[in-house]
Amino acid sequence: MVQRRGIRQTTGGARWSLLVLIGFVGMLPVWWALLGQLLEHREAYTACSSGAPPGTVGSLENLRFHADSTFLPAGRRCVYDMADGSTQAWQTGWPSTIWALSGTGVCLLVLVVCWLSWRRMSPMQRMLVHVAAGLAVLGWVAIASFAALN
């Protein structure tokens, strides 16, 4: 650490910049899951009607099912009325949700490392780590609100 004129300068800036980059890479799967949820909802009725299991009530053109967007997993759920009186559900979105949860864990880990290394990181690096974590949280809020609205 080098001090000049009372201003504290940090060393090892590339290492902390890599930490910031890891935080932003960890945030990306959350937004990928939101995009997947939006695309799944857009094609929900077509995909649910074409993927109906055998024994569903109704003809091929007039099946009885319900489709909606879900929060966990961030995808689409199709619920079919079966001929025997039961219901059968089909859920999409687990792979993207698992990646999004892993990315959120990476963001939280980077945030904890940032807090533990507060004095060794520059203010801009600290702010960018918090921006990455905030964007991950914002992505989850968007996923939850889209699922609640649809």
Side-chain angles (χ1 to χ4, degrees):
M1 194 171 341
V2 179
Q3 285 194 353
R4 294 182 189 159
R5 295 187 215 160
I7 299 173
R8 183 177 178 174
Q9 295 180 349
T10 59
T11 57
R15 177 179 47 191
W16 301 116
S17 296
L18 180 65
L19 190 69
V20 170
L21 180 66
I22 291 170
F24 275 100
V25 168
M27 172 223 37
L28 289 177
V30 178
W31 289 93
W32 185 259
L34 174 63
L35 179 64
Q37 182 188 38
L38 294 172
L39 293 176
E40 290 282 343
H41 177 74
R42 183 176 170 200
E43 300 293 328
Y45 288 98
T46 306
C48 286
S49 63
S50 66
T56 305
V57 173
S59 64
L60 190 56
E61 295 83 22
N62 191 18
L63 295 171
R64 287 185 51 191
F65 66 90
H66 175 71
D68 58 347
S69 297
T70 58
F71 172 58
L72 281 177
R76 174 189 73 237
R77 180 178 58 218
C78 303
V79 180
Y80 301 97
D81 292 331
M82 304 305 285
D84 62 0
S86 64
T87 59
Q88 185 175 357
W90 179 258
Q91 180 73 49
T92 64
W94 278 113
S96 62
T97 303
I98 291 169
W99 278 104
L101 290 171
S102 301
T104 303
V106 167
C107 277
L108 291 176
L109 181 66
V110 166
L111 191 63
V112 168
V113 170
C114 173
W115 289 339
L116 294 175
S117 308
W118 191 260
R119 291 180 171 260
R120 288 178 263 171
M121 294 178 75
S122 71
M124 180 61 75
Q125 290 167 335
R126 292 190 300 253
M127 183 198 68
L128 287 175
V129 167
H130 285 83
V131 165
L135 286 173
V137 169
L138 183 64
W140 281 112
V141 168
I143 290 171
S145 63
F146 186 75
L149 292 175
N150 294 306

